Amino acid sequence: MGIYEELRERGLIAQVTDEKEIRELINGGGARFYIGFDPTADSLHVGHFMALCLMKRLQLAGNKPVVLIGGGTGYVGDPSGRTDLRSVLTPEIIEHNCACFKKQMERFIQFGEGKAIMVNNAEWLLKLNYIELLREVGACFTVNNMLRAECYKQRMEKGLSFLEFNYMIMQSYDFYHLHQAYGCNMQFGGDDQWSNMLGGTELIRKKTGKDAYAMTITLLLNSEGKKMGKTAKGAVWLDENKTSPYDFYQYWRNVDDADVMKCIKMLTFIPMEEIREMDKWDASRINEKKEILAFELTKLVHGEEKAQNAMAQAKAAFGGSAENLPQKDVKVETATIIPVLVAAGICASNGEARRLIQQGGVTLNESKVTDINAPVKNGDVVHKGKKVHVKINLL
Protein backbone atom coordinates (compact mmCIF):
# COMPACT_ATOMS: atom_id res chain seq x y z
CA MET A 1 0.00 0.00 0.00
CA GLY A 2 1.37 3.44 -0.98
CA ILE A 3 1.07 6.47 1.27
CA TYR A 4 -1.79 7.84 -0.85
CA GLU A 5 -3.80 4.65 -0.37
CA GLU A 6 -3.03 4.74 3.34
CA LEU A 7 -4.31 8.33 3.59
CA ARG A 8 -7.49 7.16 1.86
CA GLU A 9 -7.94 4.26 4.26
CA ARG A 10 -7.35 6.50 7.26
CA GLY A 11 -10.17 8.76 6.04
CA LEU A 12 -7.95 11.80 5.65
CA ILE A 13 -8.62 12.81 2.05
CA ALA A 14 -11.65 15.00 1.37
CA GLN A 15 -11.09 16.39 -2.16
CA VAL A 16 -8.33 16.33 -4.77
CA THR A 17 -7.90 18.17 -8.04
CA ASP A 18 -6.14 15.46 -10.09
CA GLU A 19 -6.17 12.12 -8.31
CA LYS A 20 -3.96 10.14 -10.69
CA GLU A 21 -1.19 12.74 -10.75
CA ILE A 22 -1.39 13.34 -7.00
CA ARG A 23 -1.24 9.62 -6.24
CA GLU A 24 1.86 9.18 -8.41
CA LEU A 25 3.60 12.22 -6.92
CA ILE A 26 2.93 11.29 -3.31
CA ASN A 27 3.65 7.58 -3.64
CA GLY A 28 6.87 8.34 -5.52
CA GLY A 29 8.08 10.90 -2.98
CA GLY A 30 7.88 13.65 -5.59
CA ALA A 31 5.54 16.04 -3.83
CA ARG A 32 6.96 19.34 -2.63
CA PHE A 33 3.88 20.43 -0.76
CA TYR A 34 2.90 23.24 1.52
CA ILE A 35 0.42 23.80 4.31
CA GLY A 36 -0.19 27.27 5.71
CA PHE A 37 -0.64 28.29 9.34
CA ASP A 38 -1.85 31.78 10.23
CA PRO A 39 -0.31 32.99 13.53
CA THR A 40 -3.55 34.01 15.24
CA ALA A 41 -2.33 32.82 18.68
CA ASP A 42 0.95 32.10 20.44
CA SER A 43 0.40 28.34 20.29
CA LEU A 44 -0.82 25.78 17.82
CA HIS A 45 -3.93 23.90 18.94
CA VAL A 46 -5.32 20.48 18.14
CA GLY A 47 -7.20 21.99 15.21
CA HIS A 48 -3.72 22.20 13.59
CA PHE A 49 -2.80 18.75 14.83
CA MET A 50 -4.13 16.80 11.86
CA ALA A 51 -2.19 18.97 9.42
CA LEU A 52 1.02 18.44 11.40
CA CYS A 53 0.44 14.67 11.45
CA LEU A 54 -0.21 14.70 7.70
CA MET A 55 3.03 16.56 7.05
CA LYS A 56 4.89 14.05 9.19
CA ARG A 57 3.36 11.08 7.33
CA LEU A 58 4.21 12.54 3.93
CA GLN A 59 7.75 13.45 4.97
CA LEU A 60 8.34 9.90 6.25
CA ALA A 61 7.25 8.71 2.77
CA GLY A 62 9.97 10.83 1.11
CA ASN A 63 7.99 13.96 0.22
CA LYS A 64 9.26 17.47 1.02
CA PRO A 65 7.16 19.75 3.27
CA VAL A 66 7.11 23.51 2.95
CA VAL A 67 5.71 24.99 6.16
CA LEU A 68 4.19 28.37 5.43
CA ILE A 69 3.77 30.71 8.37
CA GLY A 70 1.23 33.40 7.56
CA GLY A 71 3.05 36.45 8.86
CA GLY A 72 1.53 38.37 5.94
CA THR A 73 -1.92 36.82 5.66
CA GLY A 74 -2.14 37.19 9.44
CA TYR A 75 -2.63 40.92 8.81
CA VAL A 76 -5.89 40.09 7.01
CA GLY A 77 -7.39 36.93 8.57
CA ASP A 78 -9.02 34.03 6.80
CA PRO A 79 -12.85 34.31 6.62
CA SER A 80 -13.19 30.53 6.07
CA GLY A 81 -15.29 28.93 8.79
CA ARG A 82 -15.93 32.33 10.40
CA THR A 83 -19.16 34.20 11.08
CA ASP A 84 -17.38 37.34 12.26
CA LEU A 85 -14.32 39.43 11.50
CA ARG A 86 -11.06 38.23 13.06
CA SER A 87 -9.20 40.58 15.38
CA VAL A 88 -6.47 42.59 13.64
CA LEU A 89 -3.11 41.70 15.17
CA THR A 90 -0.16 44.04 15.62
CA PRO A 91 3.14 43.30 13.83
CA GLU A 92 4.80 42.56 17.19
CA ILE A 93 2.18 39.97 18.14
CA ILE A 94 2.34 38.34 14.71
CA GLU A 95 6.13 38.07 14.92
CA HIS A 96 5.94 36.57 18.42
CA ASN A 97 3.29 34.04 17.38
CA CYS A 98 5.32 32.98 14.35
CA ALA A 99 8.33 32.25 16.59
CA CYS A 100 6.14 30.14 18.92
CA PHE A 101 4.73 28.15 15.98
CA LYS A 102 8.20 27.34 14.65
CA LYS A 103 9.38 26.01 17.99
CA GLN A 104 6.36 23.72 18.30
CA MET A 105 6.50 22.45 14.72
CA GLU A 106 10.08 21.29 15.13
CA ARG A 107 8.72 18.50 17.33
CA PHE A 108 6.84 17.06 14.36
CA ILE A 109 8.74 18.02 11.22
CA GLN A 110 12.42 17.51 10.38
CA PHE A 111 13.90 20.76 9.08
CA GLY A 112 17.25 21.18 7.39
CA GLU A 113 19.03 20.77 4.08
CA GLY A 114 17.13 18.34 1.88
CA LYS A 115 14.32 18.13 4.43
CA ALA A 116 11.49 20.50 5.30
CA ILE A 117 11.75 24.25 4.97
CA MET A 118 9.84 26.97 6.78
CA VAL A 119 8.94 30.24 5.09
CA ASN A 120 6.97 33.30 6.14
CA ASN A 121 4.71 34.94 3.57
CA ALA A 122 5.41 38.34 5.13
CA GLU A 123 8.67 38.16 3.13
CA TRP A 124 6.82 38.65 -0.15
CA LEU A 125 3.29 39.84 0.66
CA LEU A 126 4.36 42.91 2.61
CA LYS A 127 6.55 44.04 -0.29
CA LEU A 128 3.81 43.84 -2.91
CA ASN A 129 2.81 47.00 -4.74
CA TYR A 130 -0.98 47.28 -4.69
CA ILE A 131 -1.36 48.33 -8.33
CA GLU A 132 1.04 45.61 -9.44
CA LEU A 133 -0.96 43.03 -7.47
CA LEU A 134 -4.22 44.18 -9.05
CA ARG A 135 -2.78 43.97 -12.57
CA GLU A 136 -0.73 40.78 -12.26
CA VAL A 137 -2.89 38.70 -9.91
CA GLY A 138 -6.30 40.34 -9.57
CA ALA A 139 -6.88 40.09 -13.32
CA CYS A 140 -6.78 36.28 -13.03
CA PHE A 141 -9.86 36.21 -10.74
CA THR A 142 -13.51 36.99 -11.43
CA VAL A 143 -15.69 38.45 -8.70
CA ASN A 144 -18.55 36.16 -9.74
CA ASN A 145 -16.49 33.03 -9.07
CA MET A 146 -15.14 34.41 -5.81
CA LEU A 147 -18.63 35.17 -4.48
CA ARG A 148 -19.67 31.59 -5.22
CA ALA A 149 -16.96 30.31 -2.88
CA GLU A 150 -18.39 28.76 0.30
CA CYS A 151 -15.98 30.71 2.52
CA TYR A 152 -17.53 33.97 1.29
CA LYS A 153 -21.16 32.87 0.91
CA GLN A 154 -21.48 32.10 4.63
CA ARG A 155 -20.36 35.65 5.48
CA MET A 156 -22.56 37.58 3.08
CA GLU A 157 -25.52 37.95 5.42
CA LYS A 158 -23.51 39.48 8.27
CA GLY A 159 -21.21 41.41 5.96
CA LEU A 160 -17.91 40.56 4.31
CA SER A 161 -15.21 43.21 4.60
CA PHE A 162 -13.10 44.12 1.57
CA LEU A 163 -10.10 43.26 3.73
CA GLU A 164 -11.24 39.63 4.02
CA PHE A 165 -12.34 39.54 0.38
CA ASN A 166 -8.69 39.78 -0.56
CA TYR A 167 -7.71 36.69 1.41
CA MET A 168 -8.32 34.26 -1.46
CA ILE A 169 -6.08 36.31 -3.75
CA MET A 170 -3.34 36.42 -1.12
CA GLN A 171 -3.47 32.67 -0.45
CA SER A 172 -3.46 31.97 -4.19
CA TYR A 173 -0.47 34.24 -4.61
CA ASP A 174 1.31 32.31 -1.85
CA PHE A 175 1.01 29.10 -3.88
CA TYR A 176 2.20 30.87 -7.02
CA HIS A 177 5.20 32.37 -5.21
CA LEU A 178 6.14 29.05 -3.59
CA HIS A 179 5.80 27.34 -6.98
CA GLN A 180 8.15 29.85 -8.60
CA ALA A 181 10.67 30.20 -5.76
CA TYR A 182 10.76 26.68 -4.28
CA GLY A 183 9.29 24.36 -6.90
CA CYS A 184 6.22 23.72 -4.73
CA ASN A 185 3.79 21.57 -6.72
CA MET A 186 1.06 20.73 -4.22
CA GLN A 187 -1.00 22.41 -1.55
CA PHE A 188 -2.79 20.77 1.37
CA GLY A 189 -5.35 22.19 3.76
CA GLY A 190 -8.64 21.62 5.54
CA ASP A 191 -11.68 21.02 3.37
CA ASP A 192 -12.96 24.51 4.27
CA GLN A 193 -10.00 25.83 2.24
CA TRP A 194 -11.05 24.25 -1.06
CA SER A 195 -12.06 27.47 -2.85
CA ASN A 196 -8.86 29.28 -1.86
CA MET A 197 -6.75 26.33 -2.97
CA LEU A 198 -8.45 26.07 -6.35
CA GLY A 199 -7.66 29.76 -6.79
CA GLY A 200 -3.97 28.97 -6.32
CA THR A 201 -3.87 26.11 -8.83
CA GLU A 202 -5.71 28.23 -11.39
CA LEU A 203 -3.36 31.20 -10.88
CA ILE A 204 -0.32 29.00 -11.48
CA ARG A 205 -1.86 27.56 -14.62
CA LYS A 206 -2.73 30.99 -16.01
CA LYS A 207 0.61 32.58 -15.15
CA THR A 208 2.96 29.71 -16.04
CA GLY A 209 1.03 27.26 -18.18
CA LYS A 210 2.04 24.50 -15.72
CA ASP A 211 -0.09 22.31 -13.52
CA ALA A 212 -0.08 22.32 -9.73
CA TYR A 213 -2.28 20.27 -7.47
CA ALA A 214 -4.41 20.67 -4.37
CA MET A 215 -5.75 18.19 -1.85
CA THR A 216 -7.89 18.90 1.19
CA ILE A 217 -8.00 16.77 4.31
CA THR A 218 -11.21 16.00 6.15
CA LEU A 219 -11.73 18.23 9.15
CA LEU A 220 -12.18 16.01 12.17
CA LEU A 221 -15.48 16.70 13.89
CA ASN A 222 -16.95 15.29 17.04
CA SER A 223 -20.45 13.87 17.02
CA GLU A 224 -21.95 17.23 18.03
CA GLY A 225 -20.50 18.77 14.89
CA LYS A 226 -17.96 21.04 16.60
CA LYS A 227 -14.48 21.45 15.17
CA MET A 228 -11.78 19.38 16.73
CA GLY A 229 -10.10 21.07 19.64
CA LYS A 230 -12.99 23.13 20.94
CA THR A 231 -14.20 22.56 24.49
CA ALA A 232 -16.35 24.45 26.94
CA LYS A 233 -13.18 26.24 28.06
CA GLY A 234 -11.95 27.07 24.55
CA ALA A 235 -9.23 25.53 22.43
CA VAL A 236 -6.99 22.62 23.42
CA TRP A 237 -3.44 23.86 22.90
CA LEU A 238 -0.23 22.03 22.05
CA ASP A 239 1.69 24.29 24.45
CA GLU A 240 1.73 22.54 27.82
CA ASN A 241 1.68 25.90 29.59
CA LYS A 242 -1.77 26.53 28.09
CA THR A 243 -3.09 22.93 28.15
CA SER A 244 -1.27 20.57 30.50
CA PRO A 245 -0.29 17.08 29.29
CA TYR A 246 -2.90 15.70 31.70
CA ASP A 247 -5.68 17.90 30.30
CA PHE A 248 -4.52 17.05 26.77
CA TYR A 249 -4.68 13.35 27.63
CA GLN A 250 -8.11 13.76 29.19
CA TYR A 251 -9.44 15.58 26.12
CA TRP A 252 -8.72 12.53 23.99
CA ARG A 253 -9.67 10.08 26.74
CA ASN A 254 -13.16 11.64 26.71
CA VAL A 255 -13.72 11.62 22.95
CA ASP A 256 -17.22 10.42 22.04
CA ASP A 257 -17.46 6.66 21.54
CA ALA A 258 -18.53 7.11 17.91
CA ASP A 259 -15.38 9.12 17.11
CA VAL A 260 -12.69 6.97 18.74
CA MET A 261 -11.77 4.77 15.78
CA LYS A 262 -11.94 7.76 13.42
CA CYS A 263 -9.44 9.62 15.61
CA ILE A 264 -7.16 6.58 15.88
CA LYS A 265 -7.10 6.22 12.10
CA MET A 266 -6.60 9.90 11.33
CA LEU A 267 -4.18 10.97 14.04
CA THR A 268 -2.12 8.10 15.41
CA PHE A 269 0.81 6.40 13.71
CA ILE A 270 -0.37 2.94 14.73
CA PRO A 271 0.03 0.68 11.64
CA MET A 272 -3.18 0.07 9.72
CA GLU A 273 -2.92 -3.69 10.26
CA GLU A 274 -3.23 -3.14 14.03
CA ILE A 275 -6.02 -0.61 13.57
CA ARG A 276 -8.01 -3.08 11.46
CA GLU A 277 -7.77 -5.59 14.30
CA MET A 278 -8.85 -2.95 16.84
CA ASP A 279 -11.87 -2.24 14.65
CA LYS A 280 -13.02 -5.81 15.33
CA TRP A 281 -12.84 -5.47 19.12
CA ASP A 282 -16.01 -5.97 21.12
CA ALA A 283 -17.85 -2.81 22.20
CA SER A 284 -16.93 -3.58 25.81
CA ARG A 285 -13.32 -2.57 25.00
CA ILE A 286 -14.18 1.03 24.10
CA ASN A 287 -12.33 2.44 27.12
CA GLU A 288 -9.21 0.51 26.13
CA LYS A 289 -9.38 2.16 22.70
CA LYS A 290 -9.76 5.57 24.30
CA GLU A 291 -6.73 5.01 26.51
CA ILE A 292 -4.66 3.97 23.50
CA LEU A 293 -5.78 7.07 21.58
CA ALA A 294 -5.08 9.43 24.48
CA PHE A 295 -1.67 7.91 25.25
CA GLU A 296 -0.47 7.84 21.62
CA LEU A 297 -1.41 11.46 20.95
CA THR A 298 -0.05 12.76 24.24
CA LYS A 299 3.20 10.93 23.54
CA LEU A 300 3.38 12.46 20.09
CA VAL A 301 2.93 16.01 21.40
CA HIS A 302 4.56 15.91 24.84
CA GLY A 303 6.86 12.87 24.81
CA GLU A 304 6.53 9.40 26.32
CA GLU A 305 7.41 10.31 29.91
CA LYS A 306 4.73 12.99 30.18
CA ALA A 307 2.25 10.71 28.43
CA GLN A 308 2.96 7.98 31.00
CA ASN A 309 2.49 10.48 33.83
CA ALA A 310 -0.78 11.74 32.36
CA MET A 311 -2.08 8.19 32.00
CA ALA A 312 -1.13 7.43 35.63
CA GLN A 313 -2.89 10.60 36.78
CA ALA A 314 -6.02 9.66 34.83
CA LYS A 315 -6.08 6.17 36.35
CA ALA A 316 -5.58 7.64 39.81
CA ALA A 317 -8.60 9.88 39.31
CA PHE A 318 -10.77 6.80 38.90
CA GLY A 319 -9.80 4.69 41.86
CA GLY A 320 -5.99 4.70 41.89
CA SER A 321 -3.46 6.48 44.06
CA ALA A 322 -4.04 10.16 44.72
CA GLU A 323 -0.27 10.67 44.57
CA ASN A 324 -0.43 10.48 40.77
CA LEU A 325 -3.12 13.14 40.41
CA PRO A 326 -2.46 16.72 39.25
CA GLN A 327 -1.75 18.86 42.33
CA LYS A 328 -2.52 22.49 43.08
CA ASP A 329 -0.89 24.64 45.74
CA VAL A 330 -3.72 26.65 47.29
CA LYS A 331 -3.52 29.59 49.69
CA VAL A 332 -6.86 30.72 51.15
CA GLU A 333 -7.97 32.50 54.30
CA THR A 334 -10.70 29.94 54.95
CA ALA A 335 -10.16 26.35 53.78
CA THR A 336 -13.69 25.68 52.65
CA ILE A 337 -14.84 24.30 49.35
CA ILE A 338 -15.84 27.49 47.49
CA PRO A 339 -12.62 29.51 48.00
CA VAL A 340 -10.56 26.37 47.36
CA LEU A 341 -12.35 25.73 44.05
CA VAL A 342 -11.61 29.29 42.94
CA ALA A 343 -8.01 29.43 44.23
CA ALA A 344 -7.23 26.10 42.52
CA GLY A 345 -8.54 27.42 39.20
CA ILE A 346 -11.28 24.78 39.08
CA CYS A 347 -13.97 27.47 39.02
CA ALA A 348 -13.65 31.04 37.77
CA SER A 349 -15.68 32.69 40.55
CA ASN A 350 -17.44 32.11 43.85
CA GLY A 351 -20.77 32.23 42.03
CA GLU A 352 -19.74 29.55 39.57
CA ALA A 353 -18.44 27.36 42.42
CA ARG A 354 -21.70 27.78 44.37
CA ARG A 355 -23.83 26.87 41.33
CA LEU A 356 -21.65 23.84 40.57
CA ILE A 357 -22.07 22.54 44.14
CA GLN A 358 -25.82 23.14 44.08
CA GLN A 359 -26.06 21.21 40.80
CA GLY A 360 -24.21 18.24 42.29
CA GLY A 361 -21.08 18.72 40.21
CA VAL A 362 -18.45 18.65 42.98
CA THR A 363 -17.09 15.64 44.84
CA LEU A 364 -14.60 15.85 47.72
CA ASN A 365 -12.60 12.65 47.94
CA GLU A 366 -15.41 10.08 47.53
CA SER A 367 -18.34 12.15 48.81
CA LYS A 368 -20.65 14.45 46.86
CA VAL A 369 -20.46 18.00 48.23
CA THR A 370 -23.82 19.43 49.28
CA ASP A 371 -22.66 22.02 51.84
CA ILE A 372 -21.25 25.22 50.30
CA ASN A 373 -19.17 25.66 53.47
CA ALA A 374 -17.72 22.14 53.49
CA PRO A 375 -14.18 22.14 54.94
CA VAL A 376 -11.19 21.05 52.82
CA LYS A 377 -8.12 19.44 54.37
CA ASN A 378 -4.58 19.28 53.03
CA GLY A 379 -4.27 16.35 50.61
CA ASP A 380 -8.00 16.17 49.80
CA VAL A 381 -8.95 15.42 46.21
CA VAL A 382 -11.54 17.64 44.55
CA HIS A 383 -13.46 16.25 41.56
CA LYS A 384 -15.36 18.53 39.17
CA GLY A 385 -17.68 16.31 37.20
CA LYS A 386 -15.99 13.31 35.58
CA LYS A 387 -13.09 15.11 33.93
CA VAL A 388 -11.34 17.40 36.47
CA HIS A 389 -9.56 15.79 39.43
CA VAL A 390 -7.12 17.78 41.58
CA LYS A 391 -5.22 17.01 44.77
CA ILE A 392 -5.20 20.11 47.02
CA ASN A 393 -2.03 21.21 48.81
CA LEU A 394 -2.99 23.86 51.34
CA LEU A 395 -0.26 26.43 51.98
Side-chain angles (χ1 to χ4, degrees):
M1 180 190 296
I3 184 63
Y4 184 85
E5 288 72 26
E6 181 179 341
L7 295 180
R8 277 282 186 208
E9 186 172 2
R10 288 182 180 272
L12 285 165
I13 300 177
Q15 300 178 87
V16 297
T17 53
D18 305 87
E19 187 167 39
K20 180 177 180 294
E21 291 82 356
I22 289 174
R23 180 191 291 110
E24 290 175 355
L25 271 174
I26 290 176
N27 285 345
R32 192 164 185 83
F33 66 96
Y34 97 88
I35 299 180
F37 300 83
D38 275 354
T40 53
D42 60 359
S43 172
L44 297 163
H45 55 69
V46 295
H48 300 113
F49 191 46
M50 187 185 298
L52 292 171
C53 291
L54 177 66
M55 298 186 93
K56 184 179 178 72
R57 292 184 205 281
L58 291 170
Q59 185 175 48
L60 290 172
N63 298 284
K64 300 294 190 299
V66 176
V67 179
L68 175 65
I69 299 295
T73 42
Y75 280 81
V76 175
D78 184 2
S80 301
R82 300 282 299 189
T83 58
D84 57 350
L85 179 67
R86 291 183 187 272
S87 300
V88 178
L89 304 178
T90 66
E92 293 76 19
I93 291 175
I94 290 173
E95 184 178 352
H96 171 72
N97 292 350
C98 287
C100 293
F101 276 24
K102 185 176 187 298
K103 184 177 179 181
Q104 290 180 333
M105 287 177 180
E106 288 172 342
R107 285 188 254 151
F108 294 85
I109 312 299
Q110 290 186 325
F111 293 95
E113 188 174 350
K115 298 178 182 178
I117 62 171
M118 178 176 286
V119 293
N120 187 329
N121 62 15
E123 295 175 14
W124 56 88
L125 290 180
L126 299 186
K127 298 175 183 176
L128 285 174
N129 176 280
Y130 184 60
I131 300 299
E132 180 184 359
L133 178 68
L134 288 177
R135 288 174 59 88
E136 297 299 320
V137 180
C140 297
F141 292 80
T142 68
V143 172
N144 290 349
N145 282 338
M146 293 176 73
L147 290 177
R148 281 194 287 267
E150 196 61 38
C151 61
Y152 291 146
K153 283 165 58 178
Q154 62 190 3
R155 289 294 308 280
M156 293 302 288
E157 288 186 11
K158 289 195 173 183
L160 176 71
S161 72
F162 184 71
L163 179 71
E164 294 172 297
F165 191 60
N166 282 271
Y167 192 91
M168 181 186 292
I169 293 176
M170 295 174 71
Q171 183 171 333
S172 299
Y173 185 80
D174 281 342
F175 196 5
Y176 170 70
H177 178 87
L178 294 173
H179 178 80
Q180 295 297 92
Y182 300 100
C184 195
N185 55 20
M186 198 175 299
Q187 179 182 6
F188 289 86
D191 55 9
D192 60 342
Q193 291 283 306
W194 185 239
S195 298
N196 293 345
M197 294 165 69
L198 288 180
T201 59
E202 185 66 10
L203 178 62
I204 291 172
R205 187 188 64 79
K206 288 181 177 179
K207 297 288 288 183
T208 69
K210 299 177 182 178
D211 289 323
Y213 309 104
M215 185 176 97
T216 59
I217 54 180
T218 306
L219 289 176
L220 182 59
L221 306 176
N222 64 25
S223 58
E224 287 81 30
K226 298 175 184 176
K227 284 188 179 180
M228 178 177 71
K230 297 296 182 182
T231 69
K233 294 181 179 180
V236 176
W237 304 98
L238 304 192
D239 182 346
E240 66 179 272
N241 295 314
K242 295 168 77 73
T243 299
S244 71
Y246 172 76
D247 288 335
F248 188 84
Y249 179 97
Q250 283 295 91
Y251 172 78
W252 298 108
R253 177 63 180 79
N254 290 294
V255 161
D256 295 316
D257 291 2
D259 291 336
V260 176
M261 285 308 302
K262 181 166 64 174
C263 291
I264 288 174
K265 289 176 182 177
M266 287 182 165
L267 298 173
T268 77
F269 285 78
I270 298 172
M272 281 308 302
E273 312 88 76
E274 295 181 31
I275 292 176
R276 292 187 204 107
E277 289 302 311
M278 291 174 65
D279 232 347
K280 300 174 186 176
W281 288 1
D282 184 84
S284 64
R285 300 180 70 181
I286 186 64
N287 285 330
E288 188 177 346
K289 291 179 181 179
K290 289 185 177 184
E291 288 175 355
I292 290 171
L293 171 68
F295 178 78
E296 290 295 324
L297 298 189
T298 307
K299 180 174 70 173
L300 186 60
V301 173
H302 296 294
E304 185 160 4
E305 182 179 352
K306 290 179 180 178
Q308 292 283 5
N309 290 338
M311 182 169 64
Q313 291 172 358
K315 289 182 181 297
F318 297 96
S321 169
E323 295 305 313
N324 291 318
L325 283 173
Q327 301 187 29
K328 289 280 187 179
D329 292 334
V330 173
K331 187 174 183 179
V332 290
E333 291 184 7
T334 306
T336 55
I337 189 64
I338 286 180
V340 166
L341 286 170
V342 175
I346 298 171
C347 292
S349 65
N350 289 347
E352 180 187 330
R354 185 178 293 104
R355 286 191 297 273
L356 189 66
I357 293 168
Q358 292 169 344
Q359 293 165 4
V362 178
T363 301
L364 187 60
N365 299 318
E366 304 302 323
S367 302
K368 186 78 69 176
V369 177
T370 56
D371 180 4
I372 60 173
N373 295 309
V376 179
K377 302 187 299 296
N378 188 52
D380 280 351
V381 176
V382 175
H383 307 267
K384 177 184 176 182
K386 296 181 179 180
K387 298 182 181 180
V388 178
H389 316 275
V390 179
K391 181 181 177 184
I392 301 299
N393 296 326
L394 293 175
L395 300 179

